[in-house]
Amino acid sequence: MSESPQPYRVLARKYRPQNFADLIGQEAMVKTLANAIARDRLAHAFLLTGVRGVGKTSTARLIAKALNCIGPDGQGGPTIDPCGVCEPCRAIAEGRHIDVVEMDAASHTSVENVREIIEAVRYAAVTARYKIYIVDEVHMLSKSAFNALLKTLEEPPEHVKFLFATTEVSKVPVTVLSRCQRFDLRRIPADRLAAHFGEVAKAEGAEIEGEALALIARAAEGSARDGLSILDQAIAHGGGAVTAEQVRAMLGLSDRGALRVLLGLLLAGDAPGALAQLKDQYDLGIEPSSLLRGLLDAVHGIARAKIGGGDDPADAEEERAAYADWAARLGHAAIHRLWQMLLKGLSEVQSAPAPFEAAEMALLRIIHAADLPDPGELAAKLARGEPVGPSGAGGPVAPSAGGSPGAAAGPAPPPAMPADFPSLVKMLEDKGRAHLAQQLHDYVGLVSYAPPALAVRPTKPLAASFARDLADALKGVTGAAWQVRLVEEEAQPTLRAQELSAEAAVRDSVLAAPVVKAAFAAFPDAELVGYDLEDRRSA
């Protein structure tokens, strides 16, 4: 009689790390543990934190194996390279070791559950070197449960080790954190994930495109478990051969070519075309939120191309060429405005009762924003004192050639921008903002002055609202919206310091004058109590 076939195991379980070498992306933690084991400096409690799927529970089990491994000959001690063949290693890997107890704090939150641990730790391990308690999602324990655990956690018996895992370390009481050696498991980089998934696919006998691997790695967001689950689904979806288009369809990602068409229509200001493209994608089953995320990805790609950043391996060659072309034609300000409007649109789509209509309005807002004047150009016109009005076929609206001299088709030109920082301070003082003018004069050093942008470095603590108050005051006196930044960068001396320095220099020049030096030589106890430079020049 033939044996029944083994039940299928999902990839996330089948390829769970069995030793520290299989634990990708956590080299710093492994090195620390290796040194601690080699020098016999093992903590009595470890806290493993990180996002889902980075290997917290797997790491806890590996630590349990490392501490209890006895080697193939039964004579080994704690090691960072557990053999995996001795009885403790195999029993821990299979979850059946009597001295390695796993508890899910999400379903065992009460103080009674913790009391069971407190009672049990008094007894020595049955067969293992250490009795180990692995508590998953430890932040779910109740406050009373944490309090009950504190004393045992601080002074456990020598044969007991605690291994805690959590995705929300901020919810763990600081009294518990201070009693644990903490390891922050990092998100796994997308390139490492893609390489790992490629090895898994090869081991499973599946053919998968490199671009598909990059898409899965990106969708995993640093989680090996999430990525393996997606890969499992992709292999089943593709029947063993996985393409990038299949992965996009499976994940509900918009077709990248269609996204580029939509982005081109947005940048061209073609409202009917953009809405029609949106409707086509929606009819194909693409969610509006997914579509806006795709546009955000594209704008991010353009921004990276603009600054010469590295290419994303998930981007096709034609995508990179399109991003480079747009990057050459769009300014930094336009790219950032587009990003902000798409981000706002995505937030609205996610919360709106009618997501499709919200997506339409978000795209229309982007198109109509193209009719607004560029902030940099607007600021330059304001600085030159030029009239600013709505744009049309004939350009900005100008005063009519006919009619009375006082009648104009547009608003009066705003006041010219101050030529420099001292002039700005003087303008504030003249316009009744003496308190702000005095603070600018005495307590800040100028970093940069490019109206309507101002960056200064405070020389003493200022009110939290200083930058906002100053921006409001400047808008009131100049008519332009100012950007005021307080920064910790190299700055000029304060205006007051400059004036004092200038006065000191003049005083020194007076004291250095021959007639003054002769006077002091004749009268050693004399003091310089005043001087008039005008009289000195006329003399």
Side-chain angles (χ1 to χ4, degrees):
M1 183 175 177
S2 61
E3 296 182 0
S4 59
Q6 291 292 325
Y8 177 71
R9 297 177 68 200
V10 297
L11 298 183
R13 292 187 59 196
K14 184 176 180 180
Y15 291 95
R16 175 172 280 166
Q18 296 302 311
N19 53 60
F20 285 104
D22 295 338
L23 194 65
I24 59 175
Q26 312 301 340
E27 289 78 7
M29 181 200 67
V30 173
K31 182 177 181 180
T32 302
L33 282 173
N35 291 337
I37 291 174
R39 292 168 172 77
D40 194 22
R41 298 179 63 88
L42 291 168
H44 57 270
F46 298 88
L47 178 71
L48 307 170
T49 179
V51 298
R52 69 192 186 283
V54 293
K56 298 183 296 297
T57 306
S58 295
T59 299
R61 292 173 181 165
L62 290 177
I63 294 175
K65 289 167 64 174
L67 298 183
N68 284 325
C69 178
I70 59 175
D73 58 359
Q75 304 299 314
T79 174
I80 196 64
D81 296 311
C83 66
V85 298
C86 66
E87 177 56 24
C89 283
R90 289 188 289 110
I92 293 171
E94 295 167 9
R96 57 179 175 82
H97 200 295
I98 193 172
D99 292 318
V100 178
V101 182
E102 292 192 32
M103 186 182 88
D104 177 22
S107 55
H108 299 78
T109 63
S110 68
V111 67
E112 287 77 15
N113 299 125
V114 170
R115 282 185 182 139
E116 293 178 9
I117 297 177
I118 296 171
E119 291 297 320
V121 297
R122 295 185 299 173
Y123 304 103
V126 178
T127 61
R129 186 178 295 112
Y130 293 103
K131 179 179 284 189
I132 294 176
Y133 290 91
I134 299 175
V135 184
D136 201 9
E137 299 301 339
V138 68
H139 66 274
M140 298 291 286
L141 289 178
S142 65
K143 182 178 180 180
S144 57
F146 274 124
N147 289 336
L149 186 61
L150 283 179
K151 187 61 177 177
T152 302
L153 187 59
E154 185 170 22
E155 297 178 359
E158 291 295 326
H159 62 273
V160 174
K161 301 291 183 184
F162 289 98
L163 302 175
F164 300 137
T166 179
T167 53
E168 299 186 53
V169 70
S170 60
K171 294 184 179 180
V172 179
V174 67
T175 50
V176 173
L177 292 175
S178 64
R179 290 166 167 84
C180 300
Q181 188 171 99
R182 173 174 166 175
F183 291 105
D184 290 83
L185 277 68
R186 300 181 177 182
R187 290 181 185 270
I188 306 170
D191 57 340
R192 297 285 299 276
L193 282 177
H196 177 59
F197 298 156
E199 294 173 359
V200 171
K202 184 178 180 181
E204 291 293 305
E207 296 182 5
I208 183 167
E209 293 180 354
E211 187 179 345
L213 288 172
L215 287 170
I216 294 172
R218 178 193 285 176
E221 296 181 342
S223 168
R225 184 177 64 230
D226 286 8
L228 286 173
S229 298
I230 297 172
L231 177 62
D232 214 343
Q233 183 182 355
I235 292 174
H237 181 83
V242 184
T243 66
E245 290 306 313
Q246 289 172 337
V247 172
R248 288 194 180 98
M250 182 189 76
L251 295 177
L253 300 176
S254 180
D255 175 69
R256 308 293 282 189
L259 272 177
R260 293 196 300 276
V261 170
L262 176 57
L263 183 56
L265 293 169
L266 289 176
L267 295 176
D270 185 350
L275 294 188
Q277 182 71 6
L278 173 65
K279 183 67 165 59
D280 289 344
Q281 292 293 293
Y282 185 72
D283 292 341
L284 289 173
I286 306 301
E287 290 296 323
S289 59
S290 178
L291 192 71
L292 288 179
R293 286 193 189 95
L295 288 172
L296 280 166
D297 283 342
V299 173
H300 179 254
I302 295 171
R304 287 183 61 86
K306 184 74 175 176
I307 64 171
D311 292 327
D312 189 327
D315 295 337
E317 188 60 39
E318 59 270 21
E319 279 184 286
R320 298 172 189 174
Y323 292 164
D325 180 56
W326 275 320
R329 292 189 282 124
L330 293 174
H332 288 288
I335 295 172
H336 292 306
R337 284 201 304 275
L338 186 57
W339 171 270
Q340 291 295 333
M341 287 188 285
L342 284 171
L343 201 60
K344 186 175 189 301
L346 176 60
S347 175
E348 293 173 352
V349 167
Q350 290 174 330
S351 61
F356 178 75
E357 287 78 357
E360 284 189 320
M361 296 304 294
L363 298 189
L364 288 175
R365 182 166 62 234
I366 291 171
I367 290 170
H368 294 148
D371 296 332
L372 298 175
D374 179 84
E377 180 183 349
L378 182 61
K381 288 183 177 181
L382 289 169
R384 294 193 297 267
E386 297 179 6
V388 178
S391 298
V397 175
S400 173
S404 61
M417 290 288 185
D420 51 29
F421 182 57
S423 302
L424 178 80
V425 176
K426 181 69 165 56
M427 174 182 279
L428 284 172
E429 186 176 3
D430 293 343
K431 296 293 184 179
R433 271 74 168 186
H435 178 64
L436 282 172
Q438 182 263 333
Q439 289 182 303
L440 279 180
H441 183 277
D442 293 352
Y443 304 134
V444 303
L446 178 65
V447 175
S448 66
Y449 180 73
L454 173 66
V456 293
R457 177 176 180 172
T459 60
K460 62 169 288 184
L462 298 173
S465 61
F466 176 78
R468 183 178 68 250
D469 294 343
L470 179 57
D472 291 342
L474 290 174
K475 183 177 182 180
V477 299
T478 66
W482 281 70
Q483 180 187 19
V484 178
R485 295 185 302 124
L486 304 184
V487 298
E488 291 296 325
E489 299 177 14
E490 185 176 352
Q492 298 177 13
T494 66
L495 293 179
R496 175 171 172 76
Q498 293 181 41
E499 291 172 357
L500 292 175
S501 177
E503 290 176 5
V506 171
R507 180 182 175 87
D508 289 344
S509 68
V510 170
L511 291 174
V515 63
V516 176
K517 292 175 70 175
F520 273 103
F523 304 98
D525 296 330
E527 295 182 6
L528 181 65
V529 295
Y531 50 87
D532 190 328
L533 292 181
E534 293 299 324
D535 290 345
R536 183 185 169 205
R537 291 191 192 98
S538 62

